[in-house]
Amino acid sequence: MAKLTLIATATFGLEAVVKREVEALGFKVLKSEDAKITYMGDERALVKSNLWLRSADRVLLLMGEFKALSFEELFQQTRALPWEEWIPIDGKFTVNGTSVKSKLHSVPDCQSIVKKAIVERLKETYAVDRFEETGALYNIKVTILKDRVTLTIDTSGAGLHKRGYRVKDVAAPIKETLAAAMVQLSFWKEGRLLVDPFCGSGTIPIEAAMIGRNIAPGLSRKFVSEDWDAIPANLWKEERKAAFEAIRYDADIRIRASDISRTAVRAAVANAEEAGVDDCIEFSVRPVSKLRAEEPYGILIGNPPYGERIGEAEAIHGIYEDLKRFFAENPTWSLYLVTSDKQFEQRFREKPADRRRKLYNGRIEICYYQYYGAKPTKAEK
């Protein structure tokens, strides 16, 4: 097994969650920066990372880092890297890039130079003048920040939020990676009731059920690096088999999910069935005003609707009033809610949230509010 440096990219605000996930897989984290966690591993680590990381966006293979102030430096240092260790003679590769606060600010030029440098390296290695590029895909990214160049190859393909279970959708769904992070940032665990009264297409309850049952989020999808010659096919077979064996079908998972939209609930049921967790989620059609505490010390995790069309604000404020009333009557319950509505906190409760975290759902800036319910007494434990 070769020693590799891998990068798990993350949405801003979720770096700590992704770092914990990487460490839980047994890999040594080298550094945690804005939107990325760099860590050590090997080919098996690359496979496990794609199968198991719940809140990361992608897994990248780091090829090299260096300073470049001229196109010549960019070309020569890119060409010096061992691209042939990954890209075979028939490999198809693309180059995309970004440049921020750097002397080499023309992204198209940088992409072109990196591509040319890799082609020259491969020509020399394989002793050919042209490449058919009919084989496996290698997406290369050149990132230049303050004149520091980072060259990576994407090992995931489609983003890791593409779990494969979303067979039906509704408007403005929350990303699966964000939903998984919301659950992991809460105090929910096996044996505790979780409620989502704004379930939409079911992302939060499905991700929670997968966490509770220890279902690898990437188990039902394909990754671009599965076609790479440099990663033995048996690694994917072995790690998928191990992931199937790790599923806890006997876990005590109790989740209630509802929505005011019958169409949304139908979509959620279909998605839960596809994810294999429909037997531990109870779905229903009902408004938030009908929410009832079936037991003490429950947890509500949700993504309520928000919008600016005529009449929407009034309806949303009504939802806040329903939540306010529910938690006033049930002080032992905890609330974990994400919204882009900056008025939520002042409308929900005079007391500020116990914790808040700025996040992003796609390009929308949101805030994750966390309100902790009263803890059970010694006699109740």
Side-chain angles (χ1 to χ4, degrees):
M1 291 282 185
K3 284 188 176 180
L4 308 177
T5 302
L6 302 172
I7 297 173
T9 63
T11 299
F12 283 105
L14 296 184
E15 294 89 351
V17 179
V18 174
K19 181 183 177 184
R20 285 197 294 270
E21 290 184 20
V22 169
E23 290 174 334
L25 290 174
F27 309 135
K28 182 182 178 182
V29 171
L30 300 177
K31 55 184 175 179
S32 177
E33 305 167 276
D34 284 348
K36 67 178 186 178
I37 309 299
T38 305
Y39 58 104
M40 294 296 297
D42 53 20
E43 291 90 342
R44 190 177 295 276
L46 184 155
V47 173
K48 290 183 73 171
S49 297
N50 276 297
L51 285 173
W52 281 101
L53 290 180
R54 298 183 188 279
S55 301
D57 291 330
R58 293 180 180 279
V59 178
L60 308 179
L61 170 66
L62 178 65
M63 290 298 294
E65 288 185 293
F66 50 84
K67 186 175 182 179
L69 298 174
S70 67
F71 289 134
E72 180 64 19
E73 287 180 325
L74 178 63
F75 178 86
Q76 294 298 344
Q77 293 189 79
T78 299
R79 185 180 181 180
L81 297 173
W83 297 99
E84 68 280 358
E85 292 180 3
W86 293 95
I87 305 175
I89 193 169
D90 65 343
K92 177 183 179 181
F93 64 97
T94 61
V95 180
N96 295 298
T98 61
S99 179
V100 178
K101 298 179 181 177
S102 299
K103 189 172 182 181
L104 300 179
H105 55 82
S106 171
V107 173
D109 286 340
C110 292
Q111 291 173 171
S112 176
I113 287 165
V114 167
K115 174 98 177 183
K116 183 179 179 183
I118 296 171
V119 167
E120 290 302 314
R121 171 84 184 202
L122 296 179
K123 275 183 179 180
E124 185 180 318
T125 301
Y126 297 122
V128 296
D129 289 328
R130 63 188 300 271
F131 296 94
E132 297 296 329
E133 294 197 50
T134 56
L137 178 63
Y138 299 81
N139 289 318
I140 297 162
K141 185 167 185 180
V142 49
T143 304
I144 310 178
L145 176 62
K146 296 179 180 177
D147 300 320
R148 187 78 186 169
V149 178
T150 302
L151 289 167
T152 58
I153 306 177
D154 175 23
T155 75
S156 301
L160 294 182
H161 71 283
K162 299 281 189 180
R163 313 290 207 215
Y165 64 70
R166 195 185 286 277
V167 292
K168 290 192 176 181
D169 219 337
V170 295
I174 191 170
K175 286 182 72 173
E176 292 84 343
T177 44
L178 175 57
M182 289 173 64
V183 174
Q184 293 184 92
L185 286 168
S186 77
F187 287 116
W188 180 76
K189 59 182 179 180
E190 178 187 356
R192 196 167 181 182
L193 178 63
L194 185 154
V195 173
D196 179 3
F198 324 100
C199 73
S201 57
T203 311
I204 292 174
I206 290 171
E207 289 295 324
M210 291 177 70
I211 290 170
R213 278 202 168 157
N214 198 39
I215 299 174
L219 198 50
S220 298
R221 58 159 286 179
K222 186 174 171 63
F223 302 94
V224 69
S225 49
E226 288 187 62
D227 296 327
W228 294 2
D229 294 341
I231 302 178
N234 69 292
L235 289 185
W236 289 100
K237 291 180 181 177
E238 290 171 6
E239 290 304 322
R240 275 204 163 88
K241 181 182 177 184
F244 273 113
E245 292 173 348
I247 298 174
R248 298 176 58 242
Y249 290 103
D250 60 345
D252 180 17
I253 309 299
R254 288 176 298 117
I255 300 173
R256 309 282 187 268
S258 57
D259 199 284
I260 197 170
S261 166
R262 191 172 298 276
T263 300
V265 172
R266 278 199 294 264
V269 170
N271 292 336
E273 289 173 348
E274 187 69 21
V277 294
D278 54 302
D279 60 326
C280 54
I281 305 174
E282 184 181 300
F283 290 100
S284 62
V285 179
R286 66 178 178 185
V288 184
S289 59
K290 299 294 184 182
L291 183 63
R292 297 291 179 266
E294 299 174 32
E295 58 184 74
Y297 308 108
I299 287 183
L300 191 155
I301 304 179
N303 173 37
Y306 41 86
E308 298 177 358
R309 291 195 294 263
I310 296 173
E312 283 187 343
E314 189 175 326
I316 291 165
H317 295 159
I319 290 173
Y320 296 166
E321 288 299 317
D322 291 333
L323 287 175
K324 186 175 181 179
R325 187 163 46 251
F326 176 84
F327 282 93
E329 295 170 356
N330 301 281
T332 57
W333 275 58
S334 298
L335 171 66
Y336 298 86
L337 183 141
V338 66
T339 180
S340 66
D341 187 349
K342 298 187 185 304
Q343 293 186 339
F344 169 75
E345 193 171 21
Q346 66 189 58
R347 287 185 176 274
F348 175 64
R349 187 178 288 177
E350 290 182 8
K351 177 188 172 185
D354 293 294
R355 288 201 68 178
R356 64 177 72 79
R357 183 185 294 254
K358 187 169 82 169
L359 301 171
Y360 288 87
N361 185 27
R363 297 189 176 186
I364 301 173
E365 182 183 321
I366 53 180
C367 187
Y368 188 35
Y369 298 100
Q370 303 173 48
Y371 295 88
Y372 306 146
K375 294 181 180 179
T377 62
K378 289 184 179 179
E380 291 173 311
K381 288 183 178 179

